[in-house]
Amino acid sequence: MEAPEPGAGSSAVAELAEASRSGDRRATARLLSLVERGGDPADEVASATQAHVGEAHVVGITGAPGSGKSTITNSLTTLLAEAGHRPAVLAVDPSSPLTGGAILGDRVRMSGASGAGVFIRSMATRGHAGGLALAVPGAVRVLDAAGFDPVVVETVGVGQVEVDVTDAADTTVVVVAPGWGDAVQANKAGLLEVADLFVVNKADRPGAADARRDLDLMLDLSTVVTRPGTGRPSITMTTATEGDGIGELAAAVTGHLDLLREGGELDQRREKRRIAEVRAHLEHLLADAADEALATEGLQPVQASESPMMAARRLARKLLG
């Protein structure tokens, strides 16, 4: 069927959602555009898809720029598609702090996966802290409801605070490469809190064995090994450009999902994910309300001696009643 144009109201969104569940990729793409647009259309998409979610395994792939995340995502999803799965990719690119634009070039870098039938969607962070677009959870829901499984979220990268991927994924894969840094830097970057699985990519290059040794040392010395419920993260060596180790990585991802299910951790993680999404939207709404309050009332001249904290408390009392 020909999908209706988005933005025509809840009935049109419901038709798009039905077409998406029937395999219409254009309808799925239009739903994702509505989610990115935000506001009432995004709310309508959430309502239309909520009853059909919860089946997809959401896999987050993150790591420093240049570690090979896109190449690994391309190889992994191509392998899964050829094995009869229906993977989809959400590739989150950084937005320019000056223009708000983003390159969104992942379809070029993942031509192999695209040719194998993998659904690929690029999204911009739009300045959202943590490396993930605010719309990503809603986009994951759309792909889940459309029957894609797994849904792979490739994030901007890991930094001092860029660990939001844990709130978006069931399984988080952290990619490192030779020369990535020592165990102390890894701890500072928050890798222990993020990783369910580690990948040392570019394993054919000098220093790959050292990178694996540093990861093992980091895990040996740590008193907090990854998120609860699945034990010590495995380490897979890959050369993604050649496809080496990708089968082992696919097995590790599937094995982690099995562990989550067996230990009852999967439901707990998804509940935490739902709470994190509610919190993110609540913070967004409160920020909008604060901007409006500052624009309409501002910091009144008679209160020029008021400290910023006291001004914030005064406005908060007004906003929250």
Side-chain angles (χ1 to χ4, degrees):
M1 66 178 283
E2 179 68 21
E5 288 297 323
S10 58
S11 61
V13 170
E15 289 181 45
L16 280 173
E18 181 179 355
S20 174
R21 291 195 298 275
S22 300
D24 187 334
R25 291 193 170 205
R26 291 182 62 191
T28 300
R30 291 179 180 181
L31 289 172
L32 291 171
S33 295
L34 292 177
V35 169
E36 284 193 273
R37 189 178 304 170
D40 292 340
D43 293 342
E44 292 170 4
V45 173
S47 297
T49 56
Q50 185 61 41
H52 304 280
V53 301
E55 296 299 322
H57 181 198
V58 183
V59 180
I61 297 184
T62 192
S67 59
K69 300 183 300 296
S70 294
T71 307
I72 284 177
T73 301
N74 176 67
S75 298
L76 177 62
T77 54
T78 299
L79 176 67
L80 292 172
E82 292 173 348
H85 298 279
R86 292 190 67 214
V89 176
L90 279 177
V92 185
D93 270 359
S95 300
S96 166
L98 299 178
T99 67
I103 296 175
L104 303 179
D106 297 280
R107 293 182 186 179
V108 176
R109 295 187 305 224
M110 299 183 194
S111 57
S114 181
V118 178
F119 185 97
I120 301 172
R121 177 74 174 216
S122 296
M123 300 182 71
T125 57
R126 304 185 189 277
H128 181 56
L132 290 181
L134 187 63
V136 164
V140 168
R141 231 184 345 263
V142 167
L143 294 171
D144 187 356
F148 292 103
D149 186 17
V151 175
V152 178
V153 181
E154 184 205 328
T155 72
V156 175
V158 169
Q160 292 295 108
V161 296
E162 290 177 343
V163 295
D164 278 6
V165 66
T166 59
D167 290 332
D170 301 318
T171 299
T172 301
V173 180
V174 172
V175 182
V176 302
W180 66 298
D182 60 19
V184 173
Q185 291 299 318
N187 277 303
K188 286 173 64 179
L191 289 182
L192 286 182
E193 290 77 13
V194 171
D196 293 307
L197 306 172
F198 281 108
V199 173
V200 178
N201 192 33
K202 306 179 183 180
D204 57 336
R205 296 188 180 182
D210 293 337
R212 175 161 193 156
R213 180 203 62 212
D214 286 343
L215 282 175
D216 276 322
L217 176 62
M218 178 183 69
L219 294 173
D220 287 341
L221 296 177
S222 176
T223 57
V224 181
V225 178
T226 194
R227 291 184 280 171
T230 58
R232 182 189 177 101
S234 66
I235 304 173
T236 303
M237 306 290 286
T238 66
T239 304
T241 53
E242 304 297 328
D244 295 340
I246 299 301
E248 290 84 348
L249 174 59
V253 169
T254 300
H256 183 258
L257 177 62
D258 291 339
L259 283 173
L260 289 176
R261 285 174 171 159
E262 291 169 5
E265 181 70 15
L266 183 61
D267 290 339
Q268 294 180 36
R269 288 195 179 191
R270 290 182 173 177
E271 178 60 22
K272 290 178 182 177
R273 193 162 83 207
R274 178 176 172 81
I275 292 171
E277 184 180 358
V278 171
R279 181 183 296 112
H281 283 284
L282 180 59
E283 289 172 353
H284 183 69
L285 292 172
L286 290 174
D288 284 347
D291 288 341
E292 183 178 352
L294 287 170
T296 57
E297 180 174 332
L299 303 181
Q300 300 170 357
V302 295
Q303 296 174 323
S305 61
E306 187 178 37
S307 72
M309 175 59 73
M310 293 305 296
R313 291 185 184 278
R314 173 173 57 81
L315 292 175
R317 285 193 296 269
K318 180 175 181 179
L319 288 172
L320 300 177

